[in-house]
Each structure stands twice: as C-alpha cells, then as structure tokens.
Amino acid sequence: MSVNEVKLRKAEIEFEVRGTGHAGSRTFAIGDEDHTLGNCLRHVLIQNQKVAFAGYSVPHPSEPIMHLRVQTAKGSAEPGSSPRRRRRLSGEDDSMDVDEKDDDRMTAVDALKEACRTLSDQCDFILGAVEEALPEVKADRERMEKLAQSGAQDDFDEEEEEEEE
C-alpha cells in the first residue's frame, strides 16, 4: 500500500500582466508561486508611497498560480517622464484609453519592478547578516550551490527516466 502523493502540476503560465485602461492598475498572474512570494511582494509594495493599493490572492491551493493586484497613487510618476513614454517603456499600447487626469501615475509594472528589486536587496542583506553571524550557513549554502550545479544534469536524467515509465 502506498501513501497518497500530491503532485503539484506546473502552472500553464509563468507570468502574465492582466488589465486594461490606465497602466497604473494591473493584475499580475505569477505561475508556480503562492502565499510566500505574494505576501512578501504585497508588503513591500504597500510600504511604497507611490502605491495606493496592493493585494494578492491564491485562487485555490491546488492551482499553482498567484494573482497580485497593484494600483499606483496619483502623482507617483517619475519627474520628467511623459505618459506616452511610460506606457511605451512598460509595454503598453499607445492607443489604449488613458484618462488624462491619471497620467501622473507610475505604471504598475514599474512599481512591481521596484518592489522586486527592494525584496531582492532585503533578502541579500538578511542572508549576509546570517552568514556573518553563522559561518556554517555560508559554507552550507556554497556546498548546496556546488551540488546543484553538478547535480543539475543528474536530476534532468532522472526526470526523463520517470517520464518514460
């Protein structure tokens, strides 16, 4: 008799930007992520005064996707950047309906990029502090990175064998 195994399926999408209208309001669908990243990004986004709203949801525990909603605040655009230039840089179509009174808003894509950089910097800082206090953590991380590099091919070969069965 075997134990019931739950195999998480891979998400159909890796990353998708959803929404129309002003570029300051978007929902990001991020595949193969859950509450861990969702709550971290929401927290970093909401600390940013350029962001009016940030929230996330995981539609269902068995679905490997997380939705992150970002709405930027009025007056949050970088000085000297035109609305047309911001839309072009964020990948928005120039023909989209944009409310002129909201043109001074930072794009949601830019807000998410900034939040990702901030979160990455925070993780690097914490990791550095832990490795300084506990040198064995640094040694363990370096050993795991070497194993991951050398074992990446072995893992790939094992996965192919499992698929053939």
Side-chain angles (χ1 to χ4, degrees), residues 23-53:
S25 296
R26 291 288 180 267
T27 298
F28 302 94
I30 305 172
D32 298 320
E33 293 298 341
D34 57 13
H35 295 283
T36 305
L37 182 64
N39 194 40
C40 290
L41 283 173
R42 181 204 56 81
H43 179 77
V44 171
L45 281 161
I46 209 67
Q47 298 300 317
N48 185 343
Q49 295 203 1
K50 298 174 186 175
V51 175
F53 174 82

Side-chain angles (χ1 to χ4, degrees), residues 40 43-44 117-127:
C40 290
H43 179 77
V44 171
R117 282 189 293 271
T118 300
L119 184 58
S120 178
D121 291 345
Q122 289 174 347
C123 289
D124 289 343
F125 177 80
I126 296 295
L127 181 60

Side-chain angles (χ1 to χ4, degrees), residues 56-150:
Y56 80 96
S57 66
V58 176
H60 192 274
S62 67
E63 291 181 36
I65 194 162
M66 182 262 300
H67 296 150
L68 180 69
R69 177 73 178 171
V70 178
Q71 292 176 309
T72 57
K74 293 180 181 177
S76 61
E78 295 296 320
S81 68
S82 71
R84 184 180 185 129
R85 180 174 170 0
R86 287 195 309 272
R87 285 193 303 274
R88 192 176 66 246
L89 290 175
S90 68
E92 297 291 332
D93 185 6
D94 281 343
S95 65
M96 291 185 91
D97 290 334
V98 176
D99 211 358
E100 289 301 317
K101 67 181 185 287
D102 288 338
D103 278 348
D104 63 343
R105 290 170 53 189
M106 171 188 225
T107 67
V109 172
D110 289 341
L112 180 60
K113 285 179 184 178
E114 188 176 311
C116 288
R117 282 189 293 271
T118 300
L119 184 58
S120 178
D121 291 345
Q122 289 174 347
C123 289
D124 289 343
F125 177 80
I126 296 295
L127 181 60
V130 169
E131 288 179 345
E132 186 177 311
L134 302 168
E136 63 270 17
V137 171
K138 183 175 182 177
D140 189 45
R141 179 184 55 81
E142 290 171 347
R143 184 175 58 81
M144 294 301 286
E145 287 174 355
K146 286 179 186 174
L147 285 172
Q149 289 173 352
S150 66

Side-chain angles (χ1 to χ4, degrees), residues 147-165:
L147 285 172
Q149 289 173 352
S150 66
Q153 184 59 42
D154 294 339
D155 290 342
F156 180 73
D157 292 340
E158 287 176 14
E159 287 176 9
E160 283 184 342
E161 289 174 11
E162 288 176 5
E163 288 176 3
E164 290 174 4
E165 292 175 2

